[in-house]
Amino acid sequence: MINDSEIKRIKDELESKREIFALNSLAESEWNFVLQKVRRRVLHEKEETLGGKIIDFFSGIFSSYKLSLVLATLILLLSSFMIYKNLTPANTQLQGQSNSKHFRSAPKPNMPGHNVSAVKKHI
Amino acid sequence: METTQNNTVVDYSVIEDKDLIKMYQKGDEKAVEELFSRYKDYIYHIAYRFMRNYEDSMDLMQEVLIRMLRGLKNYEERSYLKGWIYRIVSNTSINILKSSSKREVPVEKAFDWIADKRMDVEEKLESTVLKEKIYMAADRLKGKQRDIFVLRYYENLPYNEIANILGTSATSAKSNYFYALKKMKKYLEEYGVEL
């Protein structure tokens, strides 16, 4: 059984060694690093989408996170615009001279554009 | 000093914690950054006591800040903020340590002071070994005794502050600290340290 004076002695003995556990404050640069990482993680959690992935990609190339964000936003806006443009009524109708491969119908046999001789040769 | 969207200048440093929390709940991100910076050393020090090395403490710190961000959205001023933060750090560290073997300090990290020629190597080796033994013994303490030991021994906080953090009385904190010391003596003797 340890009595009070014994505990006090242990306390004093242990506490005399406390200084080896002293820690410094975080430096401003270390703190900014942590904050930056937290900000990024929060954004990632919010945008686990294509946008988030694009930001990630640019963050790997550029050191500036803001620049990556701007570029990713521009790309997203541009791709949204392209999609919108392709879905407008004028482009959704099949056109004979359309440049869009997706909307061009394949030439049918006995129709202009269908190379019958080439098919025969192949057979 | 920060300028908000409506061009009003706000000095966040003079705003009380509870008001910063309310501002964050209304969407002011700068308010929560100010709150974080007030507690950054507190979080880092407690994190270090659990992880025992710089890199893991920094990782834990990030995890704690993320959890705080989530928690502060619905935070109600019922508990002492430092106590709430302590519980987040403690619970998060327990989860991390359970899911990995991070507790072991890499040998090269524990002895990196050897490269410093200004140090008295023998003396430093002795104190590093003792430090590790105290950490190991303290790791064996459980529940409130462990928490009180961390806050009292490592952080040197007064009993009434510890009582506020852990939601207990100062008398209880004091008696738990003495029980913890008693166990520490026993554990340290097992590691060959005589007190």
Side-chain angles (χ1 to χ4, degrees), chain B residues 138-169:
Chain B
D139 282 351
R140 291 168 65 182
L141 295 172
K142 299 266 182 284
K144 219 161 231 181
Q145 284 179 17
R146 183 203 58 169
D147 293 335
I148 288 167
F149 188 82
V150 166
L151 296 168
R152 177 68 192 171
Y153 185 68
Y154 299 135
E155 296 308 311
N156 201 12
L157 294 180
Y159 289 117
N160 55 352
E161 173 77 346
I162 295 170
N164 282 334
I165 290 173
L166 300 176
T168 183
S169 68

Side-chain angles (χ1 to χ4, degrees), chain B residues 26-184:
Chain B
K26 286 177 188 162
D28 189 342
E29 303 280 335
K30 291 270 176 213
V32 82
E33 287 191 9
E34 168 64 27
L35 190 76
F36 283 169
S37 74
R38 285 181 194 179
Y39 290 96
K40 66 180 195 298
D41 287 331
Y42 174 71
I43 299 170
Y44 170 63
H45 288 186
I46 304 290
Y48 196 95
R49 301 312 175 194
F50 288 106
M51 306 312 287
R52 296 186 356 215
N53 71 71
Y54 175 78
E55 283 82 5
D56 289 343
S57 313
M58 294 293 269
D59 287 346
L60 173 58
M61 205 169 169
Q62 283 173 42
E63 201 56 48
V64 167
L65 295 181
I66 297 277
R67 287 184 187 210
M68 280 179 71
L69 279 175
R70 289 182 195 141
L72 283 171
K73 288 273 180 205
N74 305 307
Y75 182 84
E76 285 171 30
E77 212 202 340
R78 283 198 212 114
S79 56
Y80 186 59
L81 186 62
K82 264 187 161 180
W84 183 73
I85 296 172
Y86 181 86
R87 281 195 299 281
I88 295 179
V89 182
S90 153
N91 293 338
T92 314
S93 72
I94 289 168
N95 290 344
I96 292 176
L97 292 168
K98 261 186 197 165
S99 62
S100 66
S101 53
K102 286 191 167 190
R103 176 57 58 98
E104 283 166 32
V105 181
V107 177
E108 67 275 18
K109 291 268 181 282
F111 294 94
D112 55 2
W113 48 265
I114 285 179
D116 191 340
K117 297 280 185 285
R118 294 166 302 176
M119 305 277 184
D120 176 343
V121 175
E122 202 175 314
E123 198 180 291
K124 265 303 210 180
L125 176 66
E126 216 170 83
S127 88
T128 304
V129 170
L130 176 67
K131 195 171 162 180
E132 275 309 300
K133 284 178 177 173
I134 293 178
Y135 270 137
M136 276 156 64
D139 282 351
R140 291 168 65 182
L141 295 172
K142 299 266 182 284
K144 219 161 231 181
Q145 284 179 17
R146 183 203 58 169
D147 293 335
I148 288 167
F149 188 82
V150 166
L151 296 168
R152 177 68 192 171
Y153 185 68
Y154 299 135
E155 296 308 311
N156 201 12
L157 294 180
Y159 289 117
N160 55 352
E161 173 77 346
I162 295 170
N164 282 334
I165 290 173
L166 300 176
T168 183
S169 68
T171 327
S172 162
K174 198 171 179 179
S175 69
N176 269 301
Y177 184 55
F178 280 96
Y179 281 118
L181 289 176
K182 222 166 146 178
K183 285 189 182 163
M184 283 296 286

Side-chain angles (χ1 to χ4, degrees), chain A residues 1-2 6-11 13-15 17-18 20-28 30-31 33-35 37-39 41-42 45-46, chain B residues 33 36-37 40-41 44-45 48-49 54 58 61-63 65-66 69-70 127 130-131 134-135 152-154 156 177-178 181-182 185 188 195:
Chain A
M1 188 72 188
I2 305 175
E6 178 69 356
I7 287 179
K8 194 178 176 315
R9 195 187 58 75
I10 299 167
K11 179 175 173 280
E13 180 71 21
L14 264 179
E15 287 182 353
K17 295 170 176 61
R18 185 186 273 149
I20 60 174
F21 293 94
L23 284 175
N24 293 329
S25 299
L26 273 185
E28 203 58 36
E30 293 171 309
W31 173 237
F33 176 75
V34 173
L35 263 189
K37 284 211 158 192
V38 170
R39 283 191 200 119
R41 270 191 60 184
V42 170
E45 280 177 15
K46 277 186 192 165
Chain B
E33 287 191 9
F36 283 169
S37 74
K40 66 180 195 298
D41 287 331
Y44 170 63
H45 288 186
Y48 196 95
R49 301 312 175 194
Y54 175 78
M58 294 293 269
M61 205 169 169
Q62 283 173 42
E63 201 56 48
L65 295 181
I66 297 277
L69 279 175
R70 289 182 195 141
S127 88
L130 176 67
K131 195 171 162 180
I134 293 178
Y135 270 137
R152 177 68 192 171
Y153 185 68
Y154 299 135
N156 201 12
Y177 184 55
F178 280 96
L181 289 176
K182 222 166 146 178
K185 178 180 164 62
L188 285 169
L195 290 176

